[in-house]
Amino acid sequence: MEVGSMDDEHEAETWTIQRSADLYQVRGWGHPYFTINQAGRVEVVPDPERPSLTIDLYELVNDLDARGLELPLLLRFSDVLRDRIKRINECFAKAIDEYQYKGAYRGVFPVKVNQQKHFIDEVVEFGAPWRLGLEAGSKPELLIALSAEQEAGGLVICNGYKDQAYIETALLAQRFDKTVIVVLERIEELDFTFRAFAKTGIRPTIGVRAKLGSRGMGRWADSTGERAKFGLTASEIVEVVDRLQEKGMLDCLQLLHFHAGSQISSIIPIKQAVREAANIFAELAKMGASMRYLDVGGGLAVDYDGSKTDFHASKNYNIQEYAYDVVAAVKESCEKYDLTPPTIVTESGRAIAAHQSVLVYEVVGRNEVRFGKPQDPGPKAHKILQQLFETYQGIAPKNLQEAFHDASQAKEEAESLFKFGYLGLRERAQAERLFWSCCEKISDYAKTMKRVPEEVQQLDQVMAAMYYGNFSVFQSIPDSWAIDQLFPIMPIHRLNEEPTIKATIADLTCDSDGKVDHFIDVEDVKRVLPVHRWREGERYFMGIFLNGAYQEILGDLHNLFGDTNAVHVQLDGEGGYEVSHFVKGDTITQVLEYVEYEPGAMVERVRRQAERARRQGLITFDQVKMLMKHYEESLGSYTYLTQDE
Ligand SMILES: *Cc1c(COP(=O)(O)O)cnc(C)c1O
């Protein structure tokens, strides 16, 4: 093999879509919704029960782009959401059936995971066959839940810190023939509840959130345990019981809730928490409360890296196992304490919402360290340049580590020679290029070898190209920045070609944190992502997957990049798809207004300056016209980069 001249065309022949699927672990995280088709593009299977109805993601994005929905574009696949809801419910139905559990199951969707109206409307619609309820964690979310759940018989669980008005609203809403349960997170909320009862005359249905002793696992381990932010300790729970009893209201206490944290990657702490909660539940029943619901909270994890392990980006159990374990633990306690089996409630958010949405962005530029074969600097050149060139020529599979040392040392020396004035800027630049040529040759050899010295392995990262994406990490995948959460990221086309470039991803913000340099991997975490060689004049699209939970609402306006365009895509039953709920992303005017600017006044102020400059003869009429046109048109445009007309 001729080192330094990897031939893309030749590689394309031996590369297969199967190899792309393995490389990006598509089966691991994407099954059954995402695959790669024969054309080498990501294919969406929105409804796994109708696997022949597929959508070519690349074509879809091109179609939408042609209709004026520019990238970055958030796609929500309604059928995927429907399938997630169905899947969880069917798993619980199966578990209940197999364990012959006598109680029922009801899910509630936590509104905080994604409050967008079109999304919540779909959750309610698709959840209707299963009587899926909603969980509110704040007053605004309760208002959403009450307006979204139109059917009688609905279930609304009220968590979060509450004031009197929150609780009064919850009680009054029970008159819509809904079960609205006020879950006490703090002991003070009991007083509010008594007062709300006195004022409205409506008896509350009360739950208590327990601080469990068993700790969750992973990132949100602190959600439980004695020092958790939320919930009542054992003694506070007893106090609630006593005070309810005094008022003759112990029958109002019907639910026990706990939440062991989100993305719990191992099944073991889940089982422990359910067992502990089931015991508390049984004690409450023994004390005379009319216990009817055991709410096991959220935490059902998503396998972001597809490794099926207890790594934080994964999970070592599936939904069915989760359902079996929850049902089995509750059943066991019921038998032990001779209880009426409660309705099991789960508050899974992430596991319902993550899969349905995909962000597609365009790569708008790149920065690659590739200098290829260097020229001989010649005998008159500075000694250090000659030395680097010799190092380059001497690189062979046997001496990669040594050559890397020599090259690094020479580069450092060139830098200090420059500092002391013995090397000009041009020569320093030449040394830099020679150094990178060495690295390139070393890493090209390393690719062909089985055993690669450790330092040389790190060259991948050092030499990684930077692919600039037309999106904002802070807006679209804030958790990638805030807590290093991993999301599957991959090109959505050209998957029948070998991705020969190793890259990290940079976004449009001018923040050095606006990048992605951690990627999913079977073993651990990859620091570079294989991507395709950029082709001049051709658009290159990449997708960020499984980002439907939490990202939209946590996203922020860093650098004033606002909401992206978003759209719902649904199978139309005739082999095609339907696009609905076009939601245009923020315009520059909108984001400026968020921060209290008045675009009209801004135009005026710029115009005044332009006029002044024109009077002074510093700018021509035509230039004023062009400036004002750009200024005013930009105000109405998308905050992200747009294609030139
Ligand atoms: C956040 C939250 C959830 C949702 O958790 P997931 O891990 O997304 O399923 C459920 N219940 C409560 C109380 C929460 O705070």
Side-chain angles (χ1 to χ4, degrees):
M1 171 181 135
E2 232 248 286
V3 170
S5 67
M6 289 279 237
D7 184 350
D8 280 357
E9 300 308 313
H10 173 74
E11 289 293 333
E13 285 170 27
T14 55
W15 192 258
T16 58
I17 53 170
Q18 189 49 49
R19 288 177 70 182
S20 283
D22 292 343
L23 181 68
Y24 296 113
Q25 309 227 153
V26 180
R27 215 190 133 72
W29 58 261
H31 183 75
Y33 310 110
F34 302 101
T35 61
I36 300 177
N37 64 18
Q38 286 305 320
R41 296 165 182 169
V42 170
E43 183 161 272
V44 189
V45 186
D47 179 0
E49 285 190 359
R50 294 181 292 170
S52 64
L53 304 182
T54 60
I55 299 174
D56 180 316
L57 189 56
Y58 180 73
E59 268 176 25
L60 172 66
V61 168
N62 276 306
D63 285 356
L64 294 171
D65 190 69
R67 294 185 210 180
L69 274 168
E70 296 163 301
L71 302 182
L73 180 57
L74 186 77
L75 298 152
R76 298 204 194 100
F77 292 96
S78 309
D79 303 271
V80 173
L81 176 64
R82 189 198 303 268
D83 188 71
R84 296 305 295 175
I85 292 173
K86 180 163 148 245
R87 212 165 267 259
I88 292 186
N89 279 281
E90 284 181 349
C91 286
F92 270 94
K94 187 164 173 211
I96 283 176
D97 185 50
E98 285 186 22
Y99 284 102
Q100 300 188 332
Y101 180 68
K102 297 287 183 293
Y105 164 75
R106 283 198 70 181
V108 291
F109 181 80
V111 173
K112 73 155 189 256
V113 176
N114 188 337
Q115 301 93 338
Q116 300 284 334
K117 176 177 182 297
H118 299 309
F119 177 80
I120 292 292
D121 283 350
E122 287 189 345
V123 167
V124 171
E125 181 192 337
F126 302 153
W130 316 96
R131 302 172 67 222
L132 180 71
L134 293 171
E135 185 259 3
S138 66
K139 207 175 349 175
E141 287 182 0
L142 174 62
L143 303 188
I144 290 178
L146 292 181
S147 84
E149 282 254 17
Q150 294 294 319
E151 298 293 313
L155 177 62
V156 177
I157 305 240
C158 304
N159 289 323
Y161 285 165
K162 299 168 210 65
D163 59 13
Q164 181 94 23
Y166 183 143
I167 295 172
E168 282 172 20
T169 311
L171 298 197
L172 290 164
Q174 294 195 64
R175 289 291 139 108
F176 298 170
D177 194 19
K178 284 188 212 287
T179 305
V180 185
I181 302 179
V182 175
V183 179
L184 306 178
E185 305 251 8
R186 298 174 297 154
I187 198 86
E188 292 82 357
E189 289 170 5
L190 185 59
D191 294 318
F192 294 149
T193 309
F194 287 145
R195 267 183 259 149
F197 172 38
K199 206 161 144 192
T200 61
I202 299 171
R203 277 176 94 77
T205 307
I206 298 175
V208 284
R209 175 166 182 168
K211 270 184 188 166
L212 297 185
S214 23
R215 285 170 62 79
M217 219 175 111
R219 236 192 274 284
W220 285 273
D222 292 341
S223 302
T224 54
E226 288 299 313
R227 300 202 38 79
K229 177 172 160 195
F230 294 108
L232 306 181
T233 59
S235 57
E236 286 171 328
I237 292 176
V238 173
E239 187 185 332
V240 169
V241 170
D242 291 345
R243 291 180 57 197
L244 283 172
Q245 189 140 36
E246 271 167 35
K247 298 223 177 221
M249 288 173 71
L250 196 48
D251 62 306
C252 295
L253 179 55
Q254 298 188 5
L255 176 143
L256 178 76
H257 166 68
F258 74 91
H259 175 64
S262 201
Q263 184 65 16
I264 302 179
S265 48
S266 164
I267 191 77
I268 296 165
I270 296 177
K271 282 201 239 185
Q272 284 168 347
V274 175
R275 279 202 206 105
E276 184 182 345
N279 290 347
I280 300 175
F281 182 93
E283 291 290 333
L284 288 172
K286 269 206 314 211
M287 291 161 101
S290 308
M291 300 305 289
R292 292 179 53 197
Y293 302 93
L294 178 55
D295 176 353
V296 304
L300 178 56
V302 166
D303 196 357
Y304 292 99
D305 72 8
S307 68
K308 301 189 166 39
T309 61
D310 65 0
F311 188 61
H312 61 78
S314 187
K315 60 180 167 91
N316 66 2
Y317 57 94
N318 60 31
I319 302 177
Q320 188 63 65
E321 284 162 338
Y322 175 79
Y324 280 145
D325 284 342
V326 170
V327 172
V330 177
K331 186 180 182 210
E332 205 176 287
S333 293
C334 289
E335 282 170 358
K336 195 161 93 192
Y337 293 93
D338 196 19
L339 291 177
T340 314
T343 295
I344 297 173
V345 177
T346 66
E347 302 177 347
S348 297
R350 185 185 296 276
I352 285 178
H355 297 73
Q356 48 82 39
S357 111
V358 181
L359 181 87
V360 178
Y361 69 87
E362 178 168 9
V363 176
V364 289
R366 76 210 191 281
N367 180 355
E368 250 183 280
V369 235
R370 279 201 93 82
F371 294 102
K373 229 173 152 135
Q375 280 193 339
D376 186 344
K380 292 212 195 85
H382 194 284
K383 200 173 87 302
I384 197 77
L385 297 177
Q386 297 185 20
Q387 200 180 317
L388 267 163
F389 186 68
E390 272 164 35
T391 305
Y392 176 84
Q393 298 223 292
I395 296 169
K398 272 186 124 65
N399 66 7
L400 295 187
Q401 175 134 348
E402 200 187 326
F404 181 57
H405 270 168
D406 291 351
S408 308
Q409 216 164 25
K411 176 173 165 266
E412 268 170 42
E413 204 177 318
E415 278 160 11
S416 72
L417 284 167
F418 175 75
K419 204 156 76 188
F420 294 110
Y422 299 114
L423 213 59
L425 186 59
R426 252 176 221 294
E427 287 168 306
R428 180 179 162 183
Q430 209 178 344
E432 222 169 73
R433 281 200 301 272
L434 280 162
F435 169 75
W436 288 116
S437 295
C438 290
C439 292
E440 199 174 317
K441 191 169 173 187
I442 293 168
S443 110
D444 282 347
Y445 268 127
K447 280 187 200 129
T448 67
M449 291 166 46
K450 284 213 176 62
R451 250 176 25 80
V452 178
E454 198 158 317
E455 264 169 291
V456 174
Q457 285 175 19
Q458 289 170 10
L459 258 184
D460 259 358
Q461 205 182 321
V462 181
M463 304 239 328
M466 187 104 80
Y467 269 43
Y468 296 98
N470 186 10
F471 76 112
S472 157
V473 165
F474 306 94
Q475 173 63 246
S476 293
I477 43 168
D479 277 342
S480 163
W481 161 68
I483 54 173
D484 276 332
Q485 189 184 319
L486 299 172
F487 294 94
I489 301 181
M490 65 182 284
I492 64 165
H493 58 133
R494 293 177 64 183
L495 296 164
N496 42 14
E497 286 171 45
E498 180 175 9
T500 51
I501 310 286
K502 299 220 166 98
T504 58
I505 309 293
D507 76 359
L508 286 186
T509 67
C510 63
D511 191 314
S512 54
D513 278 341
K515 63 177 194 291
V516 185
D517 58 6
H518 286 73
F519 303 96
I520 62 162
D521 187 37
V522 229
E523 283 173 19
D524 187 22
V525 173
K526 271 203 220 64
R527 304 303 304 266
V528 289
L529 181 73
V531 294
H532 299 93
R533 172 145 302 157
W534 168 279
R535 289 202 203 112
E536 213 53 63
E538 219 180 88
R539 301 180 77 182
Y540 190 54
F541 296 160
M542 300 192 63
I544 303 179
F545 295 82
L546 310 189
N547 61 345
Y550 301 108
Q551 304 314 296
E552 269 190 78
I553 205 62
L554 289 176
D556 67 26
L557 284 177
H558 198 10
N559 272 146
L560 298 183
F561 288 112
D563 280 338
T564 64
N565 287 327
V567 74
H568 287 234
V569 180
Q570 191 160 13
L571 292 172
D572 65 5
E574 293 161 22
Y577 58 79
E578 216 173 84
V579 181
S580 59
H581 306 315
F582 290 86
V583 183
K584 274 295 224 179
D586 288 327
T587 62
I588 294 185
T589 291
Q590 284 169 318
V591 295
L592 290 173
E593 283 170 351
Y594 289 144
V595 285
E596 307 297 331
Y597 285 90
E598 286 171 32
M602 293 167 76
V603 171
E604 256 329 289
R605 296 171 71 154
V606 172
R607 188 180 292 285
R608 273 208 299 274
Q609 291 181 76
E611 282 306 319
R612 193 175 62 212
R614 198 196 49 77
R615 280 197 306 274
Q616 294 166 349
L618 301 170
I619 190 170
T620 67
F621 275 119
D622 275 353
Q623 287 170 332
V624 170
K625 189 172 152 200
M626 191 163 149
L627 171 68
M628 293 318 296
K629 182 169 178 287
H630 279 314
Y631 200 93
E632 290 180 63
E633 281 180 3
S634 295
L635 284 171
S637 74
Y638 202 12
T639 53
Y640 295 88
L641 302 187
T642 51
Q643 295 274 104
D644 288 329
E645 295 291 306

